[in-house]
Amino acid sequence: MVTYLIRRLIGAVVMLAVVSMVTFSIFFVVPRWAGATPVDMATRYVGRTASAEMAQVAAQRLGFLDPVIVQYGRWVKAIFVGADYDYGAGVEHCSAPCFGYSFLSRLPVWPDMLDRLPVTASLAIGAAVIWLIAGVATGVLSALKRGSFFDRAAMSVALAGVSLPIFFTGLVSLVVFSYGNPFRVTAPGSTYTPFEQNPATWAYNLLLPWITLAFLYAAGYARLTRAGMLETMGEDYIRTARAKGLPERSVVVRHGLRAALTPIITIFGLDFGLLLGGAVLTESTFSLPGIGKYAIDAIIANDLPKVMGVTMLAAFFVVFASLIVDLLYAVVDPRVRLS
Amino acid sequence: MTAPLDVSGTELQAAPEAVVEGAGGAKAIQGRSLGQIAWMRLKRDKVAMAGAIFVIFLILVAIFAPVITGLLGHPPNEFHQDMINPETMGPKASWGGINKDFLFGVEPVNGRDLFSRVVYGARISLLIAFFATMLSVVIGTVLGVVAGYFGGWTDMIISRAMDVFLAFPLLVFAIALAGVIPDKAFGLEGDTLRIVLLVFIIGFFSWPYIGRIIRGQTLSLREREFVDAARSLGARGPYILFREILPNLVAPILIYSTLLIPTNVLFEAALSFLGVGIRPPTATWGGMLSDAVHFYTVPHFMFFPGMAIFLTVLAFNLFGDGLRDALDPRSSR
Amino acid sequence: MTRRSLVVATLSGALLLGVAACGGGSTSTSPSGGSTGEAAAPAAADAFNAGIGKVFNPSDKKGGVIKFAISDDFDSVDPADTYYGFAWDFLRVYGRSLVTYKPAPGQEGNQVVPDLAESLGQASDDNKTWTYKLRTGVKFEDGTPVKSADVKYAVLRSLDKKTFPNGPTYFNDWLDLPKDFVSVYKTPDVKTDSAIETPDDQTIVFHLKKGYAGFDNFAALPGTIPVPQAKDTGVKYREHVVATGPYMFKSAEAGKGYSLVRNPNWDQATDQIRKALPDGYEIEAKANADDLDNRLISGDVQVDLAGTGVQPAALSRVLGDPALKARSDNPTAARTWYWSIIGDVKPLDNLDCRKAIQFAADKVALQTAYNGPFAGGDIATSLMPPSIAGHQDFNLYPAGADNHGDVAKAKEALTACGQPNGFAINAAYRADRPKEKQAGEALQQALARVGIKLTLKGYPAGDYFALYAGKPSFNKENNIGLAANGWGADWNDGFGFLSQIVDSRTIREAGNYNMSVKDPAVDALIDKAMTTADATARNGVWAEVDKKVMEDSYVLPAVWAKALTVRGKGLTNVFVNDAYGLYDYLALGVQ
C-alpha cells in the first residue's frame, strides 16, 4: 500500500513537471517561431505609450532576455523556495509556492488563484450534488424499468442533454430566466456572492449555472448508470443472490448498485477534478469569476504567469483526483487490492 | 475473407440472435458474417437509422452548400444593409426578418443571410470533426495496439503519455495553443491554416481516449485462444498484429469514432465560441453563437446555429449508439 | 403625470431657458454650503438627453450611497497609473489635482479650474516655467496637511514607467529632468530641482524643456494628486490610495470591487468645486455586461462606470421603449473610430489609390458596424471629432448621395492610380472587438464593389499595437494596408487629441498608435500649433492639421463616437461633462 502510494505520488509529480514544461514552451517557443524578439514580447506589457527603451527595460525586468531554459528554471525555483520581486518602493519576498507576478496587473498569481478557487469550487460542488443525485437515480430507475415509458422518456432527454453545448443551454437559460424578464423571477446567474457573506444569496445566484451544468453531466451519468446497472443485473452473482432468496431491494442496492457504481466513481472523480481546474465554458457563459474565466482572460491577455499558474492548478486537480479515485476503488470494489 | 476473421465470426454466431435473425428471413439458415448481422440489427433500429439519414443529409448539405444557398439563399458573406434598422442594428422586420428570401432571417448589424451561414457552417463543423476524429483514431489505434501488444516498457511509456494528456486542462490548453499560433505558419495561411490547426489540436488531444480502449482490447485479444493458435502455428509479430488482432479491433474503432465525431463537433464549436477558432467572416456555428450573445433580444440569431449544433451532435450520437448496439452483441439495450 | 413633477418640469424648462440665455452657462456649479437648497428633491421629468448640456434633477440633498458597476475594471486606482477617461473622471472624488475640469454640463466642462491650487498656473520664461500656489488647510485623510513636496513627489513617482506602466507620459517628455534621475525609488537622492522646485510648503514650480502654453492641462492630470512619500508602497499603493478629496477608500480589491466612504479630514471650506452629496460609493468590477445593462434599467445599479453605453441587446430595448428612452442620454465622446490607410504598403503609396478607398467605403455600413447612430456615433468626415475645440466640418470625400459610397469616383481614382481593376490588400483589426470585426466585414463588402480585395486579419487586442498593426515592419511584411484604430482625446484640444496620432516623428519600431500619417507638412503644422500662444489661432492650426491629414488620405474616418447611456434610478445632479464625455461623477447625488 505504502509503496503503491509512493509510486503514484512520484508519477503525479513527474506528470505535473511534463505539463509545466510543455505549457512553458508553448508560450515561449511558439512566439519566437513567429519571429517575435524578447523585446517585442515585452512591449505588450508596458502600457499605452511605451518607448523602445521602456520595452527594453521591461524585457529585462521580466527576464525575457535570458534563455528559455533559464527562465523555466527560475519559474520552478520560485514555486519551491519563493522569489524576490521589485515592488517599485522596495523588494518584496514572494514566499513559496510562488507562481510569479502577473505581467499586467503585477499582482502575485497564487493568492489571486486562491481567491478564484471558491467560485469554481462552489459551482462544481453544487452542480455535482445535483447531477449525481439526478443522474444516478434516473439511470437506476431506467434500468429497473427497462423499456417502460419512463425509461424511454428519460433516455431521450439524456441523449438530448449530452448533445447540447453548454454555452447554448447557458445562453438560453440566461435569456429566458434572467435577462429576459424584468422581474428576475429566477436567479440572476451572472454574479457571485461568497458563501460566507450570505449562503442564501450564494445559492440563489448560482442556481442557474448549477442547473445548466448539472443537466449536461446528469444526462451522461444517467446513461452510464443505466448501462452499468443493466450489465451487472445480468451477471451470475446477481442471479445467485436472487436464487438464495435475498429480497429484491437488497439485491439491487447491495449487489447491483454497488458494482455498477464503481465505474461511475472513476468518471466522477476525473470529471470533478477537471471541473475544479476551471469550468471554462460555464464560467465564461455566466461571467463567473472562477478559475476557468481567469484562465481565458489570462490567455487572451497573454499573461504568462497566470496561464502557467492556472494550467498547473488544473493539472494538479486532475492528477490528484485520479489518485484519489484509485484509492477509493479499493474501498468500494472488493475485487481490487492495491499491491 | 481471411480465416482468422471467420474464426471470430463463428464464435459470434453462437449468439442466439444470429440464428433468430436467420430464421426471420425466408431463406435457409446460413452463416452470416459479423458485418451482415450488424447491418441487419442496425436496419431494425429506427432511431439509429433516423440519425444516419440525418448525418447523410448533413454531409450532402455541406458538400452542396454553394448550390443550396444559390437556390435558396444569398452568398454567406453578402451584406443586406437594407434589412437592418440602423438604430438598433437588429432586423427591420419582425421575426428576425424571416421571409421567403431569407429562410432563417438575417444576422443583426450586417443583414447577412442566416440560412446561408448555417449551411456553410456545416462545412467547417463537419470537416474539422471528421478529420480530427480520423487523426485521433489513427494515433490512438497505432499507439493503443503497440502498447497493448508489446507491453513492458513500450506500454509503460505510452500509458504514461496518455495519462499526461488526460491530465492536461484540455480546453485551456487548446485555447492557448490556438491563440499563440501566428497568422501564417507552416506555409499555410487564412482559413486553411486555422482548419489544419484545429484538426491538429482537437485530434491530438482526443487520441488518448480511443488509445486506452484499443490498448485494453488488444491486451485481452493477445491472450485469446485464436492468437495463441496462430502463434503456435508459427505466425510472427506483424502477421498476428495485422491479420489476427487488427480485424478484431474494427468494431470498437468504428463505434468509438462515430461517438467521437459529435464530441469533436462540440469541441470545435466551443473553440469558435471562445473566439479562437476559424476567423471571420467565415461562418461557423460556434462563432455565430458567440456573436448572438450580444443580440439575445433577437432570439432567432442564437436559435438556428444552436439548433444546428444540437441536431448534428444528436444525430451522430443516435447513430453511434445504434452502431454500438448492432456491432457489440454483449451491449444491452 | 402628477402635479409635483409637472412643477418640476416647468422648473427645468426655465433652467433650460436660462442656459440658452447665458450661452451655455449653468446655475448648478456654485458650491453649496449645504443649506442653500431648501427644495426636497422631487423626481425630475425624464426626457431623452435630459443630462446633456444641462443638469438633470438638480438637488443639494446629501446622503445615500451611489452604486457603480463596470464590466471591466480600473487599470489602477493609483493616480500615477491610470489612463482611462472614466478613471480620470472618478478619481476626482478621492484625489485633488492642482487644477481640474469644471464639473459643469456641456462645453463648460472643458474649462480648467483650480482645485488643490488657489488659481491656474502662472507662466513665465516663455511658458517654460509654471508656478502654482496650493490652498491652505487641505489635508490627507489621516489629518496631515498637504504640502507642495507631496505634489512634487507624486509627479516624480508617476515618471517611473517600470512601476506605473499605464499612465500618460507627458511629464516624462516635457519636464527638464536631470540626466542621472531614474526614479524616486532607484535614485532617491538625485536633486530634481531643475524639473520641479518647492520653494515653500505652498508653492510648486515646474520647469519644462520647451515652452507650452497649455500646461494647465498637464497640471490637471491625475499625476499631480499629492501622494505622501511615507505612505507610498509602489505598485501596492493602489491597495490604499491616501485620499485628499471628500471620499476615501474603505476597501479596494482589483478585479472585484471598491468602496468609498466620507473622508473626515476633507473640509468644504477648502473646496470650491465639490458638493460631496452622497455618503459614499460602491463599485462592482467585472460585472456581466448584459446583466449590468439590465440592472441599470431596473435600478439595481445606478451608474455604468465605464460610460461606454449599453450593449446591443439593451440598445434595442431602450430605443424601442419611450419610457426607457426618456431615461437615456446620447453623449458625444471626444473619440474617433477610424481605419489607418498605410502608405508603406503598395499600391497605397499612391495618393489616388488611398483616395479610392475613401470613396468606395460605405459610410452607413461602417456606422452600423460601429453600432449605429446612437451607440456608435455620427458618420465622421475627418479625424478630429466635433467636441474638440477648433473642430471644423469639412468633407473631402463625399460618399455619394446616400452615404453608401461613390463607386464612380472610386473607380476614377483607381484609374488615376494605375490600378483600374483594383488591388488586393490585408486589413488588420482587434479580434476581440466585435465592432471592429463588423467594420472590417463592412469594408470588405464595400471595397469589393470596385475590385479592391480585402482579406481580414484579426489580432489579439493586447498585442495589437506592440506586435501587429502598430509595428511598421509587420505591416510591410504582411501587406497590411488598412488597420482598425480608435483614439480618444486626453483633453479636448488639438494637442490632446492629435499629437499622439499624426506626428510622424513619434513613429517607433513598435507600439505605434500613429500607423500611417507620415507627412513633413503635418509635422511642420504641429510645430506651428505648439508655438502659437493665442488659443483661437492655435485651434485654427490644429484644424489645418486635421485637413492636411485628410488631404493626404492617410486616415479613413468611420464615426465620431457616441454612447447611449442610461441614467440610473434615483440619481440627482446628472449631467455629461464634455471633458470626459461621461456623466460627471463628482456632481452626482442620490435622492
Side-chain angles (χ1 to χ4, degrees):
Chain A
M1 177 75 191
V2 175
T3 42
Y4 174 82
L5 240 181
I6 291 174
R7 216 177 65 214
R8 285 298 308 263
L9 279 175
I10 293 173
V13 169
V14 170
M15 210 128 87
L16 290 178
V18 174
V19 170
S20 73
M21 276 185 257
V22 175
T23 317
F24 204 91
S25 43
I26 280 192
F27 274 85
F28 276 95
V29 180
V30 173
R32 294 273 179 102
W33 283 350
T37 66
V39 177
D40 282 348
M41 287 162 67
T43 313
R44 58 167 77 124
Y45 308 116
V46 287
R48 191 159 109 160
T49 45
S51 63
E53 173 193 7
M54 274 153 58
Q56 181 72 33
V57 169
Q60 202 176 359
R61 173 167 63 96
L62 301 172
F64 285 177
L65 301 177
D66 301 324
V68 174
I69 187 86
V70 174
Q71 296 181 45
Y72 178 71
R74 203 161 39 217
W75 179 81
V76 174
K77 190 178 157 207
I79 295 177
F80 292 103
V81 299
D84 290 325
Y85 178 77
D86 182 352
Y87 238 133
V91 173
E92 159 141 329
H93 184 69
C94 160
S95 53
C98 174
F99 280 86
Y101 288 74
S102 155
F103 285 168
L104 292 166
S105 74
R106 284 151 298 142
L107 289 170
V109 169
W110 177 246
D112 230 18
M113 287 198 302
L114 288 188
D115 230 34
R116 302 292 193 108
L117 198 53
V119 183
T120 303
S122 304
L123 176 66
I125 293 171
V129 169
I130 299 175
W131 94 57
L132 270 183
I133 295 174
V136 172
T138 312
V140 170
L141 283 178
S142 273
L144 293 181
K145 299 185 173 174
R146 185 179 172 189
S148 69
F149 174 75
F150 174 83
D151 179 28
R152 283 157 187 267
M155 284 307 110
S156 305
V157 173
L159 194 63
V162 295
S163 306
L164 279 165
I166 186 139
F167 42 89
F168 182 48
T169 44
L171 209 58
V172 171
S173 66
L174 270 179
V175 170
V176 174
F177 296 112
S178 176
Y179 297 165
N181 63 70
F183 316 105
R184 289 170 165 272
V185 226
T186 49
S190 38
T191 40
Y192 175 76
T193 316
F195 179 77
E196 62 275 13
Q197 197 176 315
N198 186 344
T201 322
W202 169 79
Y204 173 71
N205 284 345
L206 279 169
L207 205 58
L208 219 47
W210 276 346
I211 293 173
T212 315
L213 185 59
F215 178 59
L216 174 76
Y217 280 93
Y221 278 57
R223 279 157 63 87
L224 274 172
T225 313
R226 180 177 178 275
M229 273 304 272
L230 286 180
E231 199 174 319
T232 40
M233 293 310 276
E235 297 270 354
D236 292 343
Y237 69 92
I238 296 285
R239 221 172 299 155
T240 317
R242 283 206 180 109
K244 72 182 181 189
L246 277 179
E248 185 64 18
R249 170 187 283 269
S250 161
V251 173
V252 170
V253 176
R254 292 208 24 215
H255 297 270
L257 194 57
R258 188 167 174 178
L261 274 187
T262 327
I264 300 281
I265 287 177
T266 324
I267 291 166
F268 175 74
L270 295 176
D271 280 346
F272 193 71
L274 217 53
L275 265 190
L276 277 184
V280 178
L281 289 170
T282 316
E283 285 170 22
S284 27
T285 309
F286 289 99
S287 309
L288 291 172
I291 298 280
K293 188 83 174 48
Y294 186 78
I296 293 289
D297 291 347
I299 289 167
I300 287 171
N302 253 314
D303 201 342
L304 182 75
K306 283 187 179 178
V307 176
M308 286 300 294
V310 88
T311 317
M312 292 319 291
L313 191 72
F316 172 86
F317 283 126
V318 173
V319 167
F320 279 84
S322 78
L323 182 62
I324 290 167
V325 161
D326 287 353
L327 295 178
L328 269 182
Y329 244 55
V331 183
V332 181
D333 192 337
R335 288 171 301 188
V336 176
R337 289 281 172 268
L338 302 176
S339 50
Chain B
M1 197 150 278
T2 55
L5 192 66
D6 283 346
V7 172
S8 66
T10 16
E11 190 185 67
L12 273 166
Q13 277 181 8
E17 267 172 295
V19 184
V20 175
E21 268 178 47
K27 297 263 171 74
I29 297 171
Q30 49 176 247
R32 287 174 196 276
S33 75
L34 180 69
Q36 282 172 310
I37 296 166
W39 176 236
M40 298 271 318
R41 288 211 202 100
L42 197 59
K43 264 202 302 199
R44 280 191 315 194
D45 188 341
K46 291 206 182 62
V47 181
M49 285 315 282
I53 289 167
F54 190 77
V55 166
I56 292 167
F57 167 73
L58 266 176
I59 295 171
L60 290 176
V61 164
I63 292 173
F64 296 107
V67 181
I68 296 171
T69 56
L71 288 174
L72 299 170
H74 307 79
N77 294 335
E78 190 180 276
F79 278 37
H80 298 275
Q81 215 74 46
D82 49 320
M83 300 284 292
I84 296 298
N85 172 355
E87 289 184 0
T88 61
M89 294 169 288
K92 262 183 198 161
S94 49
W95 292 97
I98 296 177
N99 59 30
K100 66 177 185 353
D101 285 336
F102 295 89
L103 296 175
F104 289 178
V106 294
E107 199 174 306
V109 180
N110 42 40
R112 290 185 294 207
D113 185 350
L114 210 55
F115 172 76
S116 302
R117 294 184 68 74
V118 170
V119 166
Y120 269 87
R123 288 193 143 185
I124 300 287
S125 196
L126 293 184
L127 195 71
I128 291 178
F130 275 124
F131 281 102
T133 306
M134 259 167 65
L135 181 66
S136 57
V137 166
V138 169
I139 304 179
T141 309
V142 169
L143 291 181
V145 167
V146 167
Y149 185 74
F150 293 103
W153 272 103
T154 329
D155 182 25
M156 163 89 174
I157 290 169
I158 293 176
S159 296
R160 287 309 111 195
M162 290 198 257
D163 287 347
V164 171
F165 270 90
L166 292 173
F168 263 83
L170 195 53
L171 198 53
V172 170
F173 203 73
I175 298 160
L177 203 57
V180 296
I181 294 288
D183 203 59
K184 205 193 240 172
F186 319 114
L188 299 169
E189 64 175 326
D191 277 1
T192 329
L193 172 68
R194 300 304 295 182
I195 290 173
V196 170
L197 187 69
L198 289 184
V199 165
F200 175 78
I201 290 174
I202 298 173
F204 195 65
F205 284 104
S206 356
W207 73 264
Y209 296 95
I210 212 150
R212 277 198 159 179
I213 291 159
I214 298 298
R215 174 182 167 271
Q217 296 269 343
T218 314
L219 266 178
S220 74
L221 282 173
R222 198 178 59 173
E223 308 302 328
R224 294 280 275 278
E225 299 85 347
F226 65 89
V227 177
D228 275 346
R231 212 176 271 135
S232 64
L233 286 172
R236 289 199 306 199
Y239 180 86
I240 295 176
L241 243 163
F242 288 103
R243 286 294 165 96
E244 307 282 333
I245 293 184
L246 219 47
N248 279 294
L249 290 174
V250 168
I253 290 173
L254 216 56
I255 293 169
Y256 286 100
S257 25
T258 322
L259 290 173
L260 200 56
I261 290 175
T263 318
N264 289 347
V265 169
L266 286 176
F267 203 153
E268 186 274 330
L271 290 178
S272 295
F273 178 77
L274 292 169
V276 292
I278 306 294
R279 299 273 160 84
T282 306
T284 62
W285 294 339
M288 286 157 95
L289 264 182
S290 96
D291 287 345
V293 171
H294 307 290
F295 289 95
Y296 63 82
T297 38
V298 238
H300 78 290
F301 192 18
M302 71 171 74
F303 177 80
F304 289 109
M307 286 313 278
I309 299 175
F310 170 57
L311 291 178
T312 307
V313 174
L314 185 67
F316 274 106
N317 276 335
L318 288 174
F319 177 59
D321 273 6
L323 196 66
R324 179 176 51 201
D325 294 345
L327 279 173
D328 183 359
R330 259 174 55 84
S331 82
S332 32
R333 222 185 125 80
Chain C
M1 201 183 269
T2 64
R3 207 174 139 235
R4 207 169 166 193
S5 51
L6 253 177
V7 173
V8 177
T10 17
L11 228 162
S12 56
L15 246 172
L16 215 151
L17 279 175
V19 170
C22 65
S26 162
T27 51
S28 72
T29 49
S30 60
S32 115
S35 58
T36 44
E38 68 268 56
D46 284 333
F48 182 59
N49 273 344
I52 295 199
K54 53 190 178 283
V55 182
F56 173 77
N57 203 7
S59 159
D60 283 330
K61 185 178 169 289
K62 296 206 173 209
V65 172
I66 302 182
K67 282 187 271 179
F68 283 76
I70 177 167
S71 61
D72 194 10
D73 193 8
F74 282 96
D75 39 1
S76 168
V77 290
D78 186 331
D81 199 21
T82 172
Y83 215 148
Y84 280 133
F86 73 81
W88 289 15
D89 183 358
F90 186 80
L91 55 75
R92 296 182 301 159
V93 313
Y94 60 84
R96 298 181 63 178
S97 47
L98 287 174
V99 295
T100 191
Y101 298 96
K102 187 172 181 177
Q107 283 282 329
E108 207 187 341
N110 283 327
Q111 198 180 321
V112 182
V113 292
D115 184 0
L116 188 62
E118 282 176 343
S119 64
L120 297 182
Q122 303 292 318
S124 56
D125 188 17
D126 261 352
N127 291 329
K128 277 166 81 175
T129 304
W130 288 81
T131 308
Y132 293 85
K133 282 259 185 232
L134 269 56
R135 284 179 210 279
T136 48
V138 181
K139 291 174 184 153
F140 286 112
E141 64 181 63
D142 58 2
T144 331
V146 172
K147 297 189 189 124
S148 54
D150 299 320
V151 179
K152 175 178 178 179
Y153 180 74
V155 174
L156 288 179
R157 81 191 268 279
S158 78
L159 303 177
D160 184 357
K161 291 298 149 198
K162 201 175 140 186
T163 313
F164 309 112
N166 296 324
T169 56
Y170 292 108
F171 285 120
N172 301 56
D173 301 339
W174 289 76
L175 281 179
D176 191 11
L177 289 158
K179 285 269 174 294
D180 49 350
F181 176 79
V182 179
S183 84
V184 286
Y185 307 114
K186 291 283 176 293
T187 53
D189 302 325
V190 171
K191 282 245 177 293
T192 48
D193 285 351
S194 67
I196 307 175
E197 275 180 289
T198 50
D200 60 61
D201 281 352
Q202 303 305 126
T203 312
I204 184 161
V205 185
F206 295 89
H207 297 287
L208 308 182
K209 283 187 246 181
K210 50 182 177 176
Y212 175 48
F215 185 82
D216 276 331
N217 284 310
F218 289 179
L221 293 170
T224 68
I225 293 174
V227 173
Q229 185 165 7
K231 297 279 172 67
D232 182 21
T233 43
V235 173
K236 283 178 143 184
Y237 183 65
R238 64 180 164 192
E239 289 166 18
H240 194 110
V241 175
V242 182
T244 43
Y247 301 92
M248 58 185 194
F249 282 100
K250 194 172 125 203
S251 70
E253 288 180 277
K256 280 184 174 169
Y258 308 83
S259 112
L260 290 104
V261 293
R262 282 195 187 275
N263 169 8
N265 279 302
W266 172 78
D267 182 0
Q268 176 78 67
T270 66
D271 203 325
Q272 318 242 298
I273 58 168
R274 291 175 180 79
K275 289 188 186 179
L277 296 181
D279 286 338
Y281 303 90
E282 293 290 339
I283 303 171
E284 178 191 330
K286 299 273 180 195
N288 176 333
D290 285 311
D291 195 42
L292 173 54
D293 291 340
N294 291 320
R295 288 162 67 195
L296 196 56
I297 291 168
S298 74
D300 192 23
V301 163
Q302 288 161 310
V303 189
D304 173 11
L305 181 63
T308 43
V310 296
Q311 300 293 308
L315 183 68
S316 57
R317 247 181 97 186
V318 171
L319 292 178
D321 178 347
L324 272 180
K325 190 174 175 184
R327 277 180 57 201
S328 67
D329 291 309
N330 198 199
T332 311
R335 173 179 291 281
T336 305
W337 294 110
Y338 62 96
W339 287 70
S340 293
I341 307 177
I342 299 163
D344 298 344
V345 175
K346 283 196 184 314
L348 295 177
D349 49 344
N350 184 317
L351 175 61
D352 284 307
C353 278
R354 296 201 295 272
K355 281 185 178 167
I357 291 179
Q358 302 273 7
F359 284 120
D362 180 338
K363 288 292 186 101
V364 177
L366 268 180
Q367 185 190 34
T368 315
Y370 281 104
N371 284 3
F374 288 101
D378 297 324
I379 290 176
T381 52
S382 72
L383 185 55
M384 197 158 86
S387 41
I388 302 289
H391 164 88
Q392 285 174 18
D393 259 328
F394 61 92
N395 188 1
L396 300 179
Y397 310 102
D402 51 359
N403 255 336
H404 283 293
D406 191 332
V407 176
K409 275 254 180 73
K411 284 199 171 137
E412 256 170 56
L414 277 178
T415 314
C417 121
Q419 306 270 353
N421 298 319
F423 49 87
I425 45 166
N426 295 330
Y429 67 94
R430 284 167 273 197
D432 25 9
R433 298 201 172 184
K435 292 183 200 175
E436 290 185 0
K437 186 190 94 180
Q438 291 157 10
E441 289 169 346
L443 276 176
Q444 193 177 39
Q445 289 294 315
L447 298 191
R449 296 182 300 186
V450 296
I452 302 175
K453 190 176 169 293
L454 216 57
T455 307
L456 298 181
K457 306 265 184 184
Y459 300 110
D463 296 348
Y464 189 68
F465 293 104
L467 299 184
Y468 302 107
K471 195 175 168 189
S473 61
F474 180 87
N475 292 339
K476 255 180 246 170
E477 281 162 26
N478 291 280
N479 202 28
I480 306 275
L482 279 170
N485 210 337
W487 189 257
D490 288 346
W491 57 85
N492 291 345
D493 70 6
F495 180 90
F497 184 80
L498 288 174
S499 69
Q500 299 282 327
I501 52 170
V502 299
D503 190 335
S504 73
R505 292 159 300 183
T506 63
I507 295 180
R508 305 177 281 259
E509 233 174 84
N512 295 299
Y513 296 97
N514 177 10
M515 301 174 192
S516 60
V517 186
K518 283 187 187 172
D519 182 357
V522 170
D523 298 345
L525 280 171
I526 294 173
D527 286 343
K528 188 177 160 199
M530 300 276 214
T531 48
T532 307
D534 175 62
T536 320
R538 190 168 63 225
N539 290 340
V541 182
W542 284 116
E544 276 179 62
V545 173
D546 191 25
K547 203 167 276 172
K548 189 79 191 108
V549 169
M550 289 311 297
E551 277 169 15
D552 289 341
S553 185
Y554 282 126
V555 160
L556 169 66
V559 290
W560 290 314
K562 289 175 96 173
L564 190 78
T565 57
V566 173
R567 288 189 300 273
K569 276 190 177 160
L571 289 180
T572 62
N573 282 344
V574 190
F575 61 86
V576 171
N577 184 329
D578 271 15
Y580 305 101
L582 303 164
Y583 292 122
D584 195 308
Y585 298 145
L586 206 53
L588 292 178
V590 224
Q591 250 159 26

